[in-house]
């Protein structure tokens, strides 16, 4: 079995940071988790104790799959068990997205063969080989025939923006070779010509994906908070094909740190792994163990569905790094998909083509450093590094490359708890009554990034004379950070600077 080839990494407490002052508080335990619910399966205090424990110590690994849907907004903190059970509509929507992806894959293969053989098909449906037929590098098309919530939507699919995408069938694409595979039919010409580049930052994160309000069985649950970015509203089939190529490359390169967190996936059979790989069109995996093939195929399946769900973002390198921990913890793909959608509510701005989201976050990191350590900031100005571009990677993939897998999960859980508190309207006064100094913030990650730089301030000021040197130092932090010390320092910065940033 492939899991025999992997060993458990050291426990979190085995690596001591030279800056450690306080110890990690206890994580939320399974027994405590069960005690939080009343007879209806509802969090008895609106989720306050859950968020308090998650913010201070994270979540016990055995219950992460149950807790994360609350932290990521799939479930409302005030929802009952019956309301959480009624997620069939969302499961069907994910399956519809997957069916569309599979149809795209089949149609792409069919059209590719058609181009190779000169579009000659005999009456029996077989391809006639043509020696002089032109060969195209890739032909991608979208064939639409899906059902959403029991309603047939021929060639249409709901997206994160609340718009309906119209997907042209393969026959239409053959007639319009230069045409668009996917068209957003809800956008007027005026909207496509002008759009505020900052408008997409104004996402409404207050609504859970599955709220405590009653939902009709045929209601499509979707986010309507995103304003269209300044880019074409027509999505070529070639766009999706390009995303697929990058997904497959990234998926097979995924590391094996997740193995110890998913024993069932680690022991998957080769037959099952290869079957799933074939269903998503994954090839060139002979060098991988079955568990890695299966993990890569799951990544592709969910990332493809997300690209259709949120075509304004599509897929960019780095998104697989964000999804991998989620599918390692959550075994049900449709639940993992909607948790990823919740995660991407904010993270999607990291993958904008104009990089406005990244620039905004780097600017906040710069302000935090300036507010906390003016001497360090002046040194950065001297090196023309005050824009903090040296922490670019930390921002894009949310510290995933600088922390171990377990540390990443801990940091993200605390960050998600802050965001869940804000969605639930739990403000400063509530945290004050619980004697928690730092109020929740949407930007805890940025405070943590600033804290990691401030921990190196002496080295940076005394020894580094260029931004490249600082960037190498930041990229070299991998495996050398104490995540709980980092979070302590981040919360200290929140207390000091939150009202000033």
């Amino acid at each position: 079995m492939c899991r025999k080839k992997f060993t458990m990494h050291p426990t979190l407490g085995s690596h001591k940071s030279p800056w450690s002052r306080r110890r990690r508080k206890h994580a939320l335990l399974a027994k405590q988790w069960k005690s939080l619910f009343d007879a209806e399966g509802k969090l008895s205090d609106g989720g306050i104790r859950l968020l308090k424990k998650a913010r201070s110590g994270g979540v016990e690994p055995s219950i992460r799959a149950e807790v994360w849907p609350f932290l990521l907004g799939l479930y409302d903190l005030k929802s009952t068990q019956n309301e959480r059970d009624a997620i069939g509509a969302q499961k069907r929507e994910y399956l519809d997205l997957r069916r569309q992806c599979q149809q795209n894959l089949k149609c792409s293969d069919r059209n590719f063969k058609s181009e190779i053989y000169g579009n000659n098909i005999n009456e029996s449906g077989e391809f006639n080989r043509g020696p002089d037929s032109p060969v195209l590098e890739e032909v991608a098309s979208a064939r639409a025939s899906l059902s959403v919530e029991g309603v047939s939507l021929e060639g249409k699919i709901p997206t994160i923006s609340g718009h309906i995408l119209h997907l042209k069938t393969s026959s239409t694409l053959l007639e319009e070779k230069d045409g668009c595979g996917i068209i957003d039919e809800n956008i007027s010409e005026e909207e496509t010509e002008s759009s505020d580049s900052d408008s997409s930052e104004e996402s409404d994160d207050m609504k859970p994906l599955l709220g405590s309000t009653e939902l009709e069985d045929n209601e499509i649950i979707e986010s309507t908070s995103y304003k269209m970015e300044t880019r074409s509203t027509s999505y070529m089939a070639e766009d999706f094909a390009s995303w697929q190529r990058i997904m497959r490359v990234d998926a097979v390169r995924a590391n094996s740190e997740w193995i110890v967190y998913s024993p069932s996936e680690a022991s998957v059979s080769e037959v099952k792994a290869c079957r799933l790989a074939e269903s998503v069109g994954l090839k060139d995996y002979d060098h991988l163990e079955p568990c890695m093939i299966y993990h890569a195929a799951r990544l592709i399946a969910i990332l493809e569905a997300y690209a259709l769900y949120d075509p304004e973002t599509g897929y960019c390198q780095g998104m697989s790094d964000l999804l991998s921990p989620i599918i390692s913890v959550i075994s049900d793909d449709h639940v993992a998909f909607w948790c990823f959608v919740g995660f991407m509510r904010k993270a999607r701005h990291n993958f904008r083509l104009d990089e406005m989201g990244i620039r905004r976050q780097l600017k906040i990191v710069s302000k935090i450093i300036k507010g906390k350590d003016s001497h360090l900031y002046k040194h950065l100005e001297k090196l023309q590094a005050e824009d903090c571009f040296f922490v670019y990677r930390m921002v894009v993939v949310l510290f995933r490359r600088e922390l171990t897998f377990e540390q990443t999960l801990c940091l993200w859980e605390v960050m998600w708890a802050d965001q869940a508190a804000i969605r639930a309207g739990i403000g400063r006064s509530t945290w004050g009554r619980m004697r928690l100094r730092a109020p929740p913030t949407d930007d805890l990650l940025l405070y943590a990034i600033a804290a990691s730089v401030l921990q190196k301030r002496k080295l940076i000021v005394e020894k580094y004379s260029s931004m490249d040197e600082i960037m190498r130092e930041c990229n070299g932090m991998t495996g050398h950070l104490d995540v709980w010390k980092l979070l302590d320092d981040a919360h200290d910065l929140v207390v000091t600077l939150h009202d000033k940033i």
Side-chain angles (χ1 to χ4, degrees):
M1 306 297 286
C2 60
R3 61 178 168 179
K4 293 181 181 178
K5 298 190 176 183
F6 301 94
T7 57
M8 186 77 74
H9 56 72
T11 58
L12 183 63
S14 64
H15 181 80
K16 280 289 183 180
S17 164
W19 302 283
S20 289
R21 296 192 307 263
R22 295 184 286 270
R23 292 183 180 179
R24 170 188 183 180
K25 295 181 180 179
H26 294 297
L28 175 67
L29 303 177
K31 184 177 180 180
Q32 295 171 321
W33 169 243
K34 292 178 181 178
S35 71
L36 298 179
F37 294 90
D38 61 20
E40 290 185 300
K42 187 176 181 179
L43 289 167
S44 56
D45 60 354
I48 291 178
R49 281 184 294 168
L50 161 63
L51 299 180
K52 178 181 178 181
K53 290 293 293 183
R55 288 186 87 224
S56 62
V59 179
E60 182 183 89
S62 66
I63 57 172
R64 277 174 171 153
E66 300 174 46
V67 177
W68 282 12
F70 286 89
L71 299 183
L72 287 165
L74 176 58
Y75 301 145
D76 193 296
L77 293 173
K78 298 180 180 179
S79 63
T80 65
Q81 184 63 53
N82 287 338
E83 290 168 336
R84 294 193 294 275
D85 289 341
I87 64 171
Q90 286 197 324
K91 182 175 182 178
R92 288 194 298 272
E93 187 178 345
Y94 171 70
L95 293 177
D96 286 333
L97 289 165
R98 281 303 313 146
R99 277 193 288 270
Q100 182 60 45
C101 292
Q102 290 172 335
Q103 288 172 342
N104 289 351
L105 180 63
K106 291 177 182 178
C107 204
S108 177
D109 290 342
R110 187 183 305 118
N111 287 341
F112 181 57
K113 292 176 181 177
S114 177
E115 291 290 342
I116 291 176
Y117 303 137
N119 295 323
N120 296 319
I121 305 177
N122 61 28
E123 293 180 358
S124 64
E126 299 177 346
F127 288 98
N128 292 325
R129 297 176 181 269
D132 298 322
S133 299
V135 178
L136 297 183
E137 185 175 331
E138 269 198 53
V139 177
S141 63
R143 184 178 183 181
S145 177
L146 72 159
S147 172
V148 179
E149 307 311 321
V151 180
S152 177
L153 297 178
E154 182 68 23
K156 297 182 179 181
I157 195 166
T159 71
I160 191 173
S161 60
H163 296 268
I164 296 294
L165 293 182
H166 174 75
L167 289 81
K168 292 187 178 181
T169 62
S170 56
S171 60
T172 306
L173 285 172
L174 289 174
E175 293 174 4
E176 303 176 19
K177 293 182 180 179
D178 296 326
C180 175
I182 307 175
I183 299 176
D184 188 338
E185 61 183 22
N186 299 272
I187 307 300
S188 66
E189 292 183 3
E190 293 180 359
E191 287 176 297
T192 64
E193 290 176 358
S194 62
S195 172
D196 185 353
S197 61
D198 293 328
S199 63
S200 63
E201 296 295 319
E202 303 171 1
S203 60
D204 179 10
D205 295 335
M206 302 303 292
K207 295 182 180 180
L209 296 175
L210 176 61
S212 59
T213 56
E214 294 185 1
L215 298 172
E216 296 293 335
D217 288 341
N218 64 346
E219 180 178 354
I220 299 172
I221 305 169
E222 57 188 354
S223 168
T224 57
S225 63
Y226 183 74
K227 295 183 180 180
M228 298 297 290
E229 298 179 13
T230 307
R231 59 179 294 185
S232 172
T233 58
S234 296
Y235 298 94
M236 302 292 289
E238 286 79 2
D239 289 339
F240 191 75
S242 296
W243 297 333
Q244 286 179 314
R245 286 196 301 273
I246 304 171
M247 286 176 200
R248 281 153 179 70
V249 171
D250 289 352
V252 297
R253 289 177 178 173
N255 62 44
S256 59
E257 286 183 288
W258 59 268
I259 293 288
V260 296
Y261 298 89
S262 184
S264 60
E265 190 169 313
S267 59
V268 69
S269 69
E270 184 174 358
V271 172
K272 185 176 181 181
C274 292
R275 186 185 303 126
L276 183 59
E278 182 180 353
S279 72
V280 298
L282 178 62
K283 303 175 183 178
D284 301 324
Y285 54 75
D286 293 342
H287 63 292
L288 298 177
E289 295 289 332
C291 55
M292 298 300 293
I293 297 171
Y294 191 77
H295 187 78
R298 287 190 69 202
L299 282 173
I300 292 169
I302 295 175
L303 290 169
E304 282 185 343
Y306 185 81
L308 282 184
Y309 177 78
D310 180 10
E312 291 87 6
T313 302
Y315 178 77
C316 296
Q317 286 188 312
M319 288 170 63
S320 61
D321 289 309
L322 306 188
L323 176 58
S324 184
I326 293 177
I327 67 172
S328 301
V329 169
I330 299 174
S331 59
D332 292 333
D333 280 6
H334 76 279
V335 177
F337 170 79
W338 288 111
C339 284
F340 184 62
V341 168
F343 191 7
M344 289 295 289
R345 275 174 163 169
K346 285 186 65 64
R348 69 195 300 273
H349 301 302
N350 292 0
F351 303 100
R352 288 180 51 156
L353 294 178
D354 60 10
E355 296 192 336
M356 288 298 296
I358 296 295
R359 293 177 190 175
R360 183 194 71 84
Q361 293 175 83
L362 292 177
K363 187 175 182 179
I364 291 175
V365 173
S366 177
K367 287 183 177 180
I368 295 171
I369 294 174
K370 183 178 182 180
K372 180 63 177 178
D373 193 330
S374 59
H375 183 54
L376 173 59
Y377 184 80
K378 288 178 181 177
H379 182 68
L380 294 178
E381 282 186 315
K382 180 181 178 182
L383 304 182
Q384 296 184 330
E386 72 274 13
D387 60 1
C388 292
F389 187 80
F390 49 86
V391 297
Y392 184 95
R393 188 178 75 175
M394 294 182 187
V395 172
V396 173
V397 290
L398 291 82
F399 255 125
R400 179 65 192 90
R401 305 285 177 83
E402 287 70 36
L403 298 174
T404 66
F405 198 85
E406 174 62 23
Q407 288 177 327
T408 300
L409 302 188
C410 293
L411 175 65
W412 288 2
E413 285 170 345
V414 176
M415 177 182 71
W416 294 338
D418 263 23
Q419 294 169 0
I422 291 173
R423 285 198 305 271
I426 301 174
R428 180 186 296 273
S429 60
T430 303
W431 295 115
R433 289 194 297 272
M434 291 190 295
R435 297 181 180 180
L436 294 177
R437 296 181 307 140
T441 171
D442 265 333
D443 295 320
L444 182 62
L445 173 82
L446 305 182
Y447 284 94
I449 290 174
S452 71
V453 176
L454 289 164
Q455 287 177 356
K456 299 284 187 179
R457 58 98 52 203
K458 184 176 181 180
L459 190 63
I460 292 173
V461 171
E462 294 181 359
K463 294 189 176 182
Y464 293 153
S465 57
S466 71
M467 188 179 73
D468 288 341
E469 290 178 308
I470 302 174
M471 183 176 292
R472 281 195 295 271
E473 179 65 35
C474 290
N475 291 344
M477 290 181 183
T478 303
H480 299 286
L481 289 170
D482 180 333
V483 68
W484 295 105
K485 163 60 181 169
L486 194 65
L487 284 166
D488 279 339
D489 288 355
H491 283 133
D492 287 344
L493 290 172
V494 171
V495 171
T496 306
L497 301 171
H498 184 260
D499 292 333
K500 301 176 183 178
I501 300 299

